[in-house]
Amino acid sequence: MPAFETLLSPVILFFVLGALAAAARSDLSVPEPLAKSLSLYLMAAIGLKGGVQVSQAGFTPQLLQVSAAGMALSFALPLMAFALLRGFARLDRLNAGAVAAHYGSVSIVTFVTASDALTRSGIAPAGYMVAVMALMETPAVITGLLLARGSGTLSRGQRGKLLREVLLNGSVVLLLGSFLIGLAIGKTRFEPIAPVFVTGFTGLLCLFLLDMGLIAMRRLRESRALNWRMAALGIALPLVNGAIGLGVAALLGLDPGTGAALAMLAASASYIAVPAAVRLALPDADPGIYLSMSLAVTFPFNILLGIPLVIQLAPLVLT
Amino acid sequence: MPAFETLLSPVILFFVLGALAAAARSDLSVPEPLAKSLSLYLMAAIGLKGGVQVSQAGFTPQLLQVSAAGMALSFALPLMAFALLRGFARLDRLNAGAVAAHYGSVSIVTFVTASDALTRSGIAPAGYMVAVMALMETPAVITGLLLARGSGTLSRGQRGKLLREVLLNGSVVLLLGSFLIGLAIGKTRFEPIAPVFVTGFTGLLCLFLLDMGLIAMRRLRESRALNWRMAALGIALPLVNGAIGLGVAALLGLDPGTGAALAMLAASASYIAVPAAVRLALPDADPGIYLSMSLAVTFPFNILLGIPLVIQLAPLVLT
Amino acid sequence: MPAFETLLSPVILFFVLGALAAAARSDLSVPEPLAKSLSLYLMAAIGLKGGVQVSQAGFTPQLLQVSAAGMALSFALPLMAFALLRGFARLDRLNAGAVAAHYGSVSIVTFVTASDALTRSGIAPAGYMVAVMALMETPAVITGLLLARGSGTLSRGQRGKLLREVLLNGSVVLLLGSFLIGLAIGKTRFEPIAPVFVTGFTGLLCLFLLDMGLIAMRRLRESRALNWRMAALGIALPLVNGAIGLGVAALLGLDPGTGAALAMLAASASYIAVPAAVRLALPDADPGIYLSMSLAVTFPFNILLGIPLVIQLAPLVLT
Amino acid sequence: MITTHTRKRIDILIDAPLCDWLIEQAAAAEIVHHSILPVESGLGRTGAWRDEGFGTVAKRMFVALSNKQKVAALLERLAPDIERYGLVIAVYDVEVVRGERF
Amino acid sequence: MITTHTRKRIDILIDAPLCDWLIEQAAAAEIVHHSILPVESGLGRTGAWRDEGFGTVAKRMFVALSNKQKVAALLERLAPDIERYGLVIAVYDVEVVRGERF
Amino acid sequence: MITTHTRKRIDILIDAPLCDWLIEQAAAAEIVHHSILPVESGLGRTGAWRDEGFGTVAKRMFVALSNKQKVAALLERLAPDIERYGLVIAVYDVEVVRGERF
Ligand SMILES: Nc1ncnc2c1ncn2[C@@H]1O[C@H](COP(=O)(O)O)[C@@H](O)[C@H]1O
Ligand SMILES: Nc1ncnc2c1ncn2[C@@H]1O[C@H](COP(=O)(O)O)[C@@H](O)[C@H]1O
Ligand SMILES: Nc1ncnc2c1ncn2[C@@H]1O[C@H](COP(=O)(O)O)[C@@H](O)[C@H]1O
Ligand code: NA
Ligand code: NA
Ligand code: NA
């Protein structure tokens, strides 16, 4: 029962503990600088590990293929999301575009938790998936913006800022930078820092997910803007996007672990980098909608059900 | 010379370093978010370890007995403390009740330091003592309040808030939650997170006690409200309460380690959870009194003398 | 190629990543409390390690000699720096004195990075060098002040404050305190805390240097006060001071590792403790000058070129 | 020119554990909207404090923009507790945009 | 006695991601100098928020001392965006030293 | 109605390392009670700064409620150092409760 196994992992249980504490209105809380520090740590750690793995496995044409596919997904996934958000959830153009940008992008924590679970299930994803994730983070913002406002409505200054956001966003830089460092140093020189970045990883992830449980549930409790149609899409979109991701993985002939990771990237929605970019570029869109959908609905769904599901399905679909 | 041994442990020496630095008015200081993060970490770590231990040792009737005894102590210890505070320290009813609440409750850091020292002395306490500690944290607040104000003076809203404080206080939730997680995952699934929560424990405790030394000594330096009678009680109360705790442990037939831990819980006084609750429920009580007594007198006394003392006595009393 | 080796270490690469991110104006940033926490951690860790080493190697007359030489360097190095800053960089008396104080003092991070690199190159410095560093931190402030304002211009109150700064500065207290703790506990009692203070060291240093790269490059970008003459001195001074340090090491007959560490202490410039002291004691001096020179020029120079250089030279000069 | 309206700003220094209580009192006086600012340290009649995480009762600064009537109502409500809770209150006139909000 | 001058202080509560935009707007209105204060939590028409690192759009408080004309110019510039950006603005008279600076 | 009194509030932006000095100056002018607020970043004539722990001289905001005379006395005391310490000072009228305290 690998799915059940996943739910009994301490990482998930700390997420549940946080969510229950917030639901019961406990005053438990994680200091904001700790939350930010842990997220920097997680990004550096997975970047490094991915780079070291690629330094051993070598560059393969597959790496380029998957990177291209990932970026294409990030650009394209907002399109269908937009249609569903307009048609089913009845959002206006502006908010639909804003939400779509989040679902085209990725959630780093979802990816990290999925990698951890996949590795424990014996199907570790390829190291280069970290780089793919970094590449998938921001293209969706462009599609989302064009959907929300139509092309040509961006001033030159705004376009510059958007491009900077896409290319130089802190998490993109840290993920790709750590990946390149891992690539450059290789396994031997990684050893002295492995205790912090490998041995400590799962334990620190527990603390981070405790906080994410608190934050996601508080968001859910306070989200006035969320109606059942949006909540339903917050569950449907990861299923649809995840299925598309799995399909692309099958087309590319990926192994189960790597394919499952791509599926989870497609299924996940950003709630850190994209909200900040969208708040700036689409100030009239309602953060209450896009943050609640991605953080309070899709994120817990992926952690609790999406990951076990993909662990079950990937080995069947990808062989 | 186990007592001397205890004082030479790095954990205690960092506490002394912090106290000396503050006494000499050095500008050394620990960022507040680090202090809070370390305290979250310590609670998660001891909760987990306790849970994993119980998952191996199995539930025993003793666990229930000690839990009941612990809660009874938390409810009852404020009574004698109140009498001494009124009679000897000449505090008014209000402040005596407020201080009594602190001495009925527990200090998590004292417990953690004691567990560490007991374990190194070869008499590790039972894992379930973490749960007992969580249960002992808040009942004392109720007794303290009733003593300070008489029953019937609480409005319904206040009673609700108090109950929430008692049951859903952040540290109670985190301690019990981590304990249950440890219980659920057991030893095998604990392994991947053990490097953070076990291997790193004593080292991080050093940093935390450095900060506690700074804070306790600064409190002592700045406490205008403290007179010699209160200071004397700050030393007498842990001795009396610790003796009572040891007596209860003997009645229950506990082993030396577990009994010593119960004694230290009885001897210790809260300076994190209870002050916040009391500030809200007894706004007219003087924080200068209850914080100074528990943090600046009793806490250092327990760390420096109480723990070595109980390590000496417990094996003699409990066999 | 040990020099090239040094540049490929993850520690240095994270520094470069930070610098590049800041140069490209990425919004990557490290929370301020994490930066301060890491610096506390690094000081406690190297203090402990040094103390434990001395507890094994025993006290030697050399320890006292090198301590005296270090303090003498800290007092004396500002003199030549002052002359160069006045003559070549054309700074007024006040700013020249302020900058000189920084170059007589030391950079803890530079020392830590150098120790790490020296140890990996097989020439670990003696443990007591941590104590020497702590002793070198503050004397330079006195010389710098006298140079800037002439003697006799300090009021009694100011002299008291200065002395307190010199003796009780937080980093001096933590370094010497941890050193003494390490000395007291020795190798066996150090074991339980070694996972945090030794095993985790290099990995956490990576995160800290990522932040230092960001901060140094941001400082460089925003430093309006810096002209090419000051920048040139920011490179010349570490070379000159480092050479003097190496000379003193040769006179004292130090081994290559210990001598290299003394040279790096002489070559490095303070950018944490001294700026705060100088801002208070010389309010009319321009922080834009002294912070930019020490942090944005000398620090990166030492990390990227100074350390590899001394690793090459020390074994040739000291045998 | 953009029109502004004269409203009141009320800043209240309060112990962190009492913050929720104050927010309730303000809401009861119809001052629902507010912001809370961190405070680092201070010195008062009860001595010095510094927000170090423990060992002290830390403070926050409650800030609200509202109209005269509501601020007066809040002060009325707080009056019996100002002394015992050690509240430090400052009220002053400010010009606001979108005056109908406040 | 030290001479003081009457100037304006303008405090603007703004979403953290919009801070750079506001700084640009202020600079365009010749209010180049400013300070940014942290804000911990708040409650407005769009609900409650708390700066927990993620999950919310955190706020900052932009504070500038300047003269009447420049503050008016800034308000003029901000006018079209005040509603959509949810800016909470307070302007008030203060006495400053070194009046020529502001 | 609760009675309020008009007092002065003085806000001083100051380099963190100079905070203790300012507190002493204020105490010498009989303004003993005060609060210190954190400041995150800023831009002035000497350039931009951001409190990142190192690499910059961070700022704090000293806030005190007091009466006219004491505030004037403090300004008098600070006068010779305002320029060199780069103090940014704002003084304004506020209504306070418990006026006898200030
Ligand atoms: N006049 C004042 N101006 C600014 N802050 C004050 C003033 N009086 C008190 N405070 C703040 O309120 C806290 C508690 O004051 P007290 O209740 O007098 O001890 C102090 O530590 C300061 O942070
Ligand atoms: N009247 C007010 N006084 C103080 N802060 C306010 C006020 N109105 C709104 N805010 C702050 O601005 C944030 C956003 O407000 P809103 O756009 O109305 O949701 C709130 O969460 C508060 O932090
Ligand atoms: N007019 C102003 N309004 C608000 N803050 C200011 C103003 N001028 C200066 N500051 C603050 O004071 C700091 C130092 O100013 P300066 O000494 O001019 O570089 C700036 O970085 C700002 O944080
Ligand atoms: Na996605
Ligand atoms: Na107790
Ligand atoms: Na030096």
Side-chain angles (χ1 to χ4, degrees):
Chain A
M1 282 172 301
F4 176 69
E5 265 303 291
T6 306
L7 288 179
L8 259 187
S9 93
V11 172
I12 307 300
L13 290 174
F14 270 102
F15 178 76
V16 173
L17 174 59
L20 292 178
R25 295 173 185 266
S26 162
D27 66 352
L28 183 60
S29 79
V30 172
E32 178 254 313
L34 176 60
K36 286 206 179 139
S37 302
L38 285 174
S39 91
L40 286 180
Y41 163 81
L42 294 179
M43 290 190 274
I46 55 168
L48 281 169
K49 276 191 279 186
V52 171
Q53 272 171 38
V54 173
S55 83
Q56 294 194 285
F59 272 96
T60 58
Q62 215 189 40
L63 189 164
L64 293 178
Q65 281 169 20
V66 183
S67 297
M71 290 186 71
L73 280 171
S74 181
F75 272 118
L77 288 177
L79 293 171
M80 191 200 291
F82 183 75
L84 286 168
L85 289 157
R86 294 279 282 154
F88 181 75
R90 295 173 192 167
L91 289 179
D92 57 32
R93 188 187 171 99
L94 187 74
N95 279 302
V99 175
H102 290 73
Y103 282 87
S105 179
V106 300
S107 152
I108 298 173
V109 185
T110 307
F111 173 82
V112 163
T113 313
S115 297
D116 203 69
L118 289 167
T119 307
R120 283 184 211 298
S121 303
I123 45 169
Y128 62 73
M129 286 308 288
V130 178
V132 174
M133 170 170 68
L135 296 174
M136 288 179 73
E137 257 204 285
T138 38
V141 178
I142 296 175
T143 314
L145 243 74
L146 294 178
L147 288 168
R149 309 210 300 190
S151 63
T153 58
L154 287 174
S155 74
R156 257 192 71 227
Q158 286 177 310
R159 238 176 288 150
K161 239 171 244 156
L162 200 63
L163 210 67
R164 164 176 313 284
E165 181 65 35
V166 170
L167 297 175
L168 293 175
N169 182 287
S171 57
V172 174
V173 167
L174 183 52
L175 281 170
L176 286 185
S178 308
F179 180 80
L180 292 176
I181 291 177
L183 207 55
I185 60 177
K187 199 168 171 68
T188 324
R189 283 200 215 81
F190 180 58
E191 227 109 86
I193 60 174
V196 165
F197 292 109
V198 176
T199 322
F201 191 77
T202 315
L204 292 174
L205 185 57
C206 287
L207 291 179
F208 192 60
L209 278 179
L210 172 70
D211 188 35
M212 292 307 309
L214 285 164
I215 288 175
M217 184 56 93
R218 287 209 178 110
R219 180 89 228 165
L220 188 62
R221 262 194 15 222
E222 274 161 20
S223 57
R224 311 180 180 178
L226 204 70
N227 60 33
W228 77 265
R229 289 179 176 270
M230 297 180 204
L233 272 194
I235 291 173
L237 281 173
L239 290 172
V240 173
N241 288 350
I244 294 176
L246 218 48
V248 170
L251 284 179
L252 293 172
L254 300 185
D255 62 277
T258 306
L262 186 65
M264 284 315 300
L265 287 175
S268 71
S270 170
Y271 49 83
I272 300 182
V274 175
V278 164
R279 184 76 190 102
L280 192 66
L282 297 174
D284 297 305
D286 182 356
I289 298 179
Y290 51 74
L291 271 170
S292 301
M293 283 187 65
S294 67
L295 176 58
V297 181
T298 301
F299 176 68
F301 172 77
N302 275 332
I303 294 291
L304 298 177
L305 298 176
I307 294 175
L309 198 63
V310 89
I311 289 181
Q312 301 282 37
L313 288 182
L316 306 177
V317 177
L318 311 166
T319 39
Chain B
M1 282 170 299
F4 177 69
E5 264 304 288
T6 306
L7 288 179
L8 259 188
S9 94
V11 172
I12 306 302
L13 290 174
F14 269 102
F15 178 76
V16 173
L17 174 60
L20 291 178
R25 294 172 184 267
S26 164
D27 65 353
L28 182 62
S29 80
V30 171
E32 178 253 313
L34 176 61
K36 286 206 180 137
S37 302
L38 285 174
S39 91
L40 286 180
Y41 162 82
L42 294 180
M43 290 189 273
I46 56 169
L48 282 169
K49 276 190 280 187
V52 170
Q53 272 171 37
V54 172
S55 83
Q56 294 194 285
F59 272 96
T60 58
Q62 213 189 42
L63 190 164
L64 293 179
Q65 280 168 21
V66 182
S67 298
M71 290 187 70
L73 280 171
S74 181
F75 271 118
L77 288 178
L79 295 171
M80 190 200 293
F82 183 77
L84 286 168
L85 289 158
R86 294 280 281 154
F88 182 75
R90 296 172 192 170
L91 289 180
D92 57 32
R93 189 187 169 98
L94 187 73
N95 279 302
V99 175
H102 290 72
Y103 282 85
S105 180
V106 300
S107 151
I108 298 173
V109 185
T110 306
F111 173 81
V112 163
T113 313
S115 298
D116 204 67
L118 289 166
T119 307
R120 282 183 211 298
S121 304
I123 46 171
Y128 61 73
M129 285 309 287
V130 178
V132 174
M133 170 171 67
L135 296 174
M136 288 178 74
E137 256 204 284
T138 38
V141 178
I142 296 175
T143 314
L145 244 74
L146 294 178
L147 288 169
R149 308 210 301 190
S151 64
T153 58
L154 287 174
S155 75
R156 256 192 71 228
Q158 286 177 309
R159 239 175 288 149
K161 239 170 245 158
L162 200 63
L163 211 66
R164 163 176 313 285
E165 181 64 37
V166 170
L167 297 175
L168 294 175
N169 182 287
S171 57
V172 174
V173 167
L174 183 53
L175 281 169
L176 286 184
S178 307
F179 181 80
L180 292 176
I181 291 177
L183 207 56
I185 61 178
K187 198 169 172 66
T188 325
R189 284 202 214 79
F190 180 59
E191 227 111 84
I193 60 174
V196 165
F197 292 110
V198 176
T199 322
F201 190 78
T202 315
L204 292 174
L205 185 56
C206 287
L207 291 178
F208 191 61
L209 278 180
L210 172 70
D211 189 36
M212 292 308 308
L214 285 163
I215 288 176
M217 184 56 92
R218 288 210 177 109
R219 179 89 229 166
L220 188 62
R221 260 193 15 222
E222 274 161 18
S223 55
R224 311 180 180 179
L226 204 69
N227 59 34
W228 77 265
R229 288 179 178 271
M230 298 179 204
L233 272 194
I235 290 173
L237 281 174
L239 290 172
V240 173
N241 288 350
I244 295 175
L246 217 50
V248 171
L251 284 180
L252 293 171
L254 300 185
D255 62 275
T258 307
L262 186 64
M264 284 314 300
L265 286 175
S268 71
S270 170
Y271 49 83
I272 300 182
V274 175
V278 164
R279 185 75 189 102
L280 192 67
L282 298 174
D284 297 306
D286 182 356
I289 297 178
Y290 50 74
L291 270 170
S292 301
M293 283 187 65
S294 67
L295 176 59
V297 181
T298 301
F299 176 68
F301 172 76
N302 276 332
I303 294 291
L304 298 177
L305 298 176
I307 295 175
L309 198 63
V310 90
I311 290 181
Q312 301 281 38
L313 288 182
L316 306 178
V317 178
L318 312 167
T319 38
Chain C
M1 281 172 303
F4 176 70
E5 264 303 290
T6 306
L7 288 178
L8 259 187
S9 94
V11 172
I12 306 300
L13 291 174
F14 269 103
F15 177 76
V16 173
L17 175 59
L20 292 178
R25 293 173 185 268
S26 163
D27 65 351
L28 182 62
S29 80
V30 170
E32 178 254 313
L34 176 60
K36 285 207 181 137
S37 302
L38 286 174
S39 91
L40 287 180
Y41 163 81
L42 293 180
M43 289 190 275
I46 55 169
L48 281 169
K49 276 190 280 187
V52 171
Q53 271 171 38
V54 173
S55 82
Q56 294 195 285
F59 272 97
T60 57
Q62 214 188 41
L63 191 165
L64 292 178
Q65 280 168 22
V66 182
S67 297
M71 290 187 72
L73 280 171
S74 181
F75 271 119
L77 288 178
L79 294 170
M80 190 200 293
F82 183 76
L84 286 169
L85 289 157
R86 294 281 281 156
F88 181 74
R90 295 172 193 170
L91 288 181
D92 57 32
R93 189 187 169 98
L94 187 73
N95 279 301
V99 175
H102 290 73
Y103 282 86
S105 180
V106 300
S107 152
I108 298 173
V109 186
T110 306
F111 174 81
V112 163
T113 313
S115 298
D116 204 69
L118 290 166
T119 307
R120 283 183 210 298
S121 303
I123 45 170
Y128 61 73
M129 286 309 288
V130 178
V132 174
M133 171 170 68
L135 295 174
M136 288 178 74
E137 256 204 284
T138 38
V141 178
I142 295 175
T143 313
L145 242 75
L146 294 178
L147 289 170
R149 309 210 301 189
S151 64
T153 59
L154 287 174
S155 75
R156 257 192 71 227
Q158 285 176 310
R159 238 175 289 151
K161 240 171 244 158
L162 200 63
L163 210 66
R164 164 176 313 283
E165 181 65 37
V166 170
L167 297 175
L168 293 175
N169 182 286
S171 56
V172 174
V173 168
L174 183 53
L175 281 169
L176 286 185
S178 307
F179 180 80
L180 291 176
I181 292 176
L183 207 56
I185 61 178
K187 199 168 172 67
T188 325
R189 285 200 214 80
F190 180 58
E191 227 111 84
I193 60 174
V196 164
F197 292 110
V198 176
T199 323
F201 190 77
T202 315
L204 291 174
L205 185 56
C206 287
L207 290 179
F208 191 60
L209 278 179
L210 172 70
D211 189 34
M212 291 309 308
L214 286 164
I215 288 176
M217 184 57 92
R218 288 211 178 109
R219 179 89 228 165
L220 188 62
R221 261 195 13 225
E222 274 161 18
S223 55
R224 310 181 180 177
L226 204 69
N227 59 33
W228 76 264
R229 287 179 178 271
M230 297 180 205
L233 272 193
I235 291 174
L237 281 174
L239 290 172
V240 173
N241 288 349
I244 295 175
L246 217 49
V248 171
L251 284 179
L252 293 171
L254 301 184
D255 63 276
T258 307
L262 185 64
M264 284 315 300
L265 286 175
S268 71
S270 170
Y271 49 84
I272 300 181
V274 175
V278 164
R279 185 75 190 103
L280 192 66
L282 299 173
D284 296 305
D286 182 356
I289 297 178
Y290 51 74
L291 272 170
S292 300
M293 284 187 65
S294 67
L295 176 59
V297 181
T298 300
F299 176 67
F301 172 77
N302 276 332
I303 295 292
L304 298 177
L305 299 176
I307 294 174
L309 197 64
V310 89
I311 290 180
Q312 301 282 35
L313 289 182
L316 305 178
V317 177
L318 312 166
T319 39
Chain D
M1 254 218 43
I2 187 168
T3 45
T4 60
H5 303 83
T6 303
R7 292 287 178 275
K8 291 284 179 193
R9 172 161 159 181
I10 178 168
D11 292 357
I12 307 182
L13 266 168
I14 184 161
D15 289 358
L18 301 175
C19 235
D20 286 345
W21 169 83
L22 176 58
I23 290 169
E24 278 166 31
Q25 298 298 314
E30 286 181 69
I31 303 182
V32 176
H33 299 169
H34 65 267
S35 300
I36 307 285
L37 272 63
V39 187
E40 203 175 82
S41 60
L43 178 62
R45 287 178 306 172
T46 58
W49 65 272
R50 174 171 297 278
D51 190 356
E52 286 183 315
F54 321 104
T56 212
V57 179
K59 300 256 172 200
R60 299 284 179 272
M61 187 145 122
F62 172 96
V63 173
L65 302 175
S66 193
N67 64 35
K68 213 170 162 163
Q69 292 72 35
K70 293 182 185 172
V71 168
L74 176 55
L75 288 182
E76 233 31 81
R77 281 200 140 261
L78 295 181
D81 296 315
I82 291 180
E83 191 64 40
R84 52 205 284 260
Y85 280 12
L87 306 182
V88 178
I89 305 180
V91 178
Y92 44 107
D93 285 330
V94 297
E95 298 292 307
V96 303
V97 187
R98 300 191 293 163
E100 67 290 352
R101 280 198 50 174
F102 303 104
Chain E
M1 251 218 44
I2 188 167
T3 47
T4 60
H5 303 82
T6 303
R7 292 287 179 274
K8 291 283 177 192
R9 172 160 158 182
I10 178 167
D11 292 357
I12 307 181
L13 266 168
I14 184 161
D15 289 359
L18 301 175
C19 237
D20 286 346
W21 169 84
L22 176 58
I23 289 170
E24 279 166 31
Q25 298 299 313
E30 287 181 67
I31 303 181
V32 176
H33 299 169
H34 64 267
S35 300
I36 307 286
L37 272 63
V39 187
E40 203 175 83
S41 60
L43 177 62
R45 288 178 306 171
T46 58
W49 66 272
R50 174 171 296 277
D51 191 355
E52 286 183 314
F54 320 105
T56 210
V57 178
K59 301 255 173 202
R60 298 284 178 274
M61 187 146 123
F62 172 97
V63 172
L65 302 175
S66 193
N67 64 36
K68 212 172 163 162
Q69 292 74 33
K70 293 182 184 173
V71 168
L74 176 55
L75 288 182
E76 235 27 84
R77 281 202 140 260
L78 295 180
D81 296 316
I82 291 179
E83 191 64 41
R84 53 205 284 259
Y85 281 12
L87 306 182
V88 178
I89 305 179
V91 178
Y92 45 106
D93 285 330
V94 298
E95 299 292 308
V96 303
V97 187
R98 299 191 294 163
E100 66 291 352
R101 279 199 52 174
F102 303 104
Chain F
M1 251 216 44
I2 186 168
T3 45
T4 59
H5 302 83
T6 304
R7 291 287 178 276
K8 292 283 179 193
R9 172 160 158 182
I10 178 167
D11 292 358
I12 307 182
L13 266 168
I14 184 162
D15 289 358
L18 302 175
C19 237
D20 286 345
W21 169 83
L22 176 59
I23 289 171
E24 279 166 29
Q25 299 298 313
E30 286 180 68
I31 303 181
V32 176
H33 299 170
H34 64 267
S35 300
I36 308 285
L37 272 63
V39 186
E40 203 175 82
S41 60
L43 178 62
R45 288 177 306 170
T46 57
W49 65 273
R50 174 172 297 278
D51 191 355
E52 287 183 312
F54 320 106
T56 212
V57 178
K59 300 256 173 199
R60 298 284 178 272
M61 187 145 122
F62 171 95
V63 173
L65 301 175
S66 193
N67 63 36
K68 212 170 161 165
Q69 290 74 36
K70 292 182 185 172
V71 168
L74 176 55
L75 289 183
E76 233 30 82
R77 281 200 139 262
L78 295 181
D81 296 315
I82 292 180
E83 190 65 40
R84 52 206 283 260
Y85 281 11
L87 307 182
V88 179
I89 305 179
V91 177
Y92 45 106
D93 285 330
V94 297
E95 299 292 307
V96 303
V97 187
R98 298 191 294 162
E100 66 292 352
R101 279 199 50 175
F102 303 104

